[in-house]
């Protein structure tokens, strides 16, 4: 089995090394093609207005001067000798739960794989507020990664669908198990923008520093993580809101 590994935290991120270890439990045919720099929050963006560079570290390890989507495209089309059987993205430093998904470079890399018809899995390690930066522990992902992926390898996935996995912020021995759950929703209430001034007197802004608030809904990824389970969520790319089609069409006279 040929596996392409990528992420959005960059080629030197600790979570990428964790994912490589997980992947080696299934195959020796591992290829890594990941952004050279952190791309968290890049979503499904594709670099269109500047050249994208590929840097080779060794025979099967490459850094891309662009987004996670750029990295998957180059990985599949220019780096690998033939297309992968599986794309793994992560292990992200931080949650990709509920509405995080549309901002997520980690999930978007898996979306790009799904669009190409390749089985694709995004993996993220949720962390507690006190763990930040390089201090985020990946213990739950490291211990539970392979056993969460294994049942998915032979599972048929519908076209244009992918799998999103989140690991709870607990020591591996305290993880209670694995739940297959739907995507939850955050309460989009505050969205505070933190403002400061740089040493030259110019204003700057930081997004995404609020604790994310959500009302836990039964059977969601958010609830599973809160209760100490690995959350496995099948996602699909058809964003159509089917039940609105009829009523909306009536407004246009048909
Ligand atoms: Mn990230």
């Amino acid at each position: 089995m040929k596996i392409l590994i990528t992420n959005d935290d960059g080629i030197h991120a600790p979570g990428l090394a964790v994912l490589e270890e997980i992947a080696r439990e299934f195959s020796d045919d591992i290829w890594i093609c990941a952004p050279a720099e952190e791309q968290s929050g890049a979503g499904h963006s594709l670099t269109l207005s500047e050249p994208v560079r590929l840097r080779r570290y060794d025979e099967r390890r490459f850094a891309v001067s662009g987004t996670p989507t750029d990295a998957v495209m180059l990985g599949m089309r220019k780096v690998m000798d033939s297309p992968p059987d599986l794309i793994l993205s992560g292990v992200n430093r931080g949650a990709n739960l509920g509405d995080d998904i549309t901002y997520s470079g980690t999930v978007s890399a898996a979306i790009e794989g799904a669009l190409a018809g390749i089985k694709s899995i995004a993996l993220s390690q949720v962390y507690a507020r006190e763990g930040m930066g390089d201090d985020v522990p990946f213990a739950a992902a490291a211990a539970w990664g392979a056993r969460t992926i294994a049942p998915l390898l032979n599972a048929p996935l519908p076209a244009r669908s992918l799998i999103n996995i989140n690991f709870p912020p607990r020591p591996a021995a305290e993880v209670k198990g694995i739940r297959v759950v739907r995507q939850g929703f955050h309460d989009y209430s505050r969205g505070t923008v933190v403002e400061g001034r740089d040493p030259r007197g110019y204003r700057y802004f930081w997004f995404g520093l609020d604790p994310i608030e959500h009302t836990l809904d039964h059977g969601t990824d958010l609830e599973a993580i809160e209760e100490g389970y690995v959350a496995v969520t099948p996602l699909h790319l058809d964003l159509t809101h089917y039940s609105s089609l009829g009523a909306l069409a009536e407004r246009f006279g048909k």
Side-chain angles (χ1 to χ4, degrees):
M1 181 172 52
K2 196 181 283 283
I3 303 177
L4 173 62
I5 295 180
T6 191
N7 72 353
D8 78 355
D9 294 333
I11 189 130
H12 301 299
L16 189 77
V18 171
L19 184 52
E20 194 178 342
E21 286 280 303
I22 293 168
R24 290 206 186 278
E25 299 204 25
F26 301 108
S27 176
D28 291 323
D29 198 358
I30 307 271
W31 298 70
I32 293 168
C33 188
E37 303 291 339
E38 167 144 10
Q39 295 285 326
S40 294
H44 198 199
S45 59
L46 179 64
T47 301
L48 296 176
S49 54
E50 54 187 274
V52 175
R53 312 284 181 183
L54 194 58
R55 186 183 311 146
R56 183 177 183 164
Y57 286 106
D58 67 34
E59 201 185 330
R60 297 186 180 190
R61 187 180 303 268
F62 295 79
V64 173
S65 68
T67 67
T69 299
D70 297 339
V72 171
M73 282 199 173
L74 283 179
M76 291 188 299
R77 293 174 193 181
K78 294 291 178 188
V79 164
M80 301 181 74
D81 51 5
S82 63
D85 304 300
L86 175 69
I87 295 176
L88 299 174
S89 176
V91 177
N92 188 58
R93 188 186 60 233
N96 278 305
L97 296 164
D99 308 302
D100 296 341
I101 288 167
T102 56
Y103 301 104
S104 170
T106 305
V107 174
S108 294
I111 287 174
E112 190 57 34
L115 287 172
I118 293 162
K119 180 171 283 185
S120 298
I121 302 173
L123 304 99
S124 302
Q125 173 67 63
V126 185
Y127 61 80
R129 288 297 293 174
E130 53 272 20
M132 298 283 271
D134 288 335
D135 296 329
V136 172
F138 285 89
W144 285 79
R147 67 182 117 162
T148 309
I149 291 171
L152 301 170
L153 293 180
N154 296 319
L157 278 190
R160 291 168 181 268
S161 71
L162 57 141
I163 302 288
N164 186 35
I165 300 174
N166 281 267
F167 300 96
R170 307 187 164 206
E174 292 173 23
V175 175
K176 290 192 195 158
I178 301 169
R179 277 186 187 163
V180 177
V181 284
R182 67 186 164 87
Q183 178 190 353
F185 299 95
H186 298 308
D187 305 334
Y188 196 85
S189 51
R190 308 234 310 273
T192 310
V193 179
V194 173
E195 180 175 345
R197 271 189 197 274
D198 73 19
R200 296 198 187 277
Y202 295 105
R203 295 161 81 201
Y204 63 79
F205 305 93
W206 284 101
F207 300 105
L209 292 172
D210 288 325
I212 295 171
E213 300 190 14
H214 44 254
T215 308
L216 288 179
D217 209 357
H218 187 59
T220 63
D221 52 1
L222 294 160
E223 182 197 58
I225 290 297
E226 187 75 20
E227 295 182 356
Y229 289 83
V230 178
V232 176
T233 301
L235 301 175
H236 67 127
L237 301 182
D238 181 352
L239 300 180
T240 307
H241 192 264
Y242 284 94
S243 59
S244 298
L245 279 172
L248 203 53
E250 279 174 22
R251 297 207 169 249
F252 291 92
K254 189 74 178 101

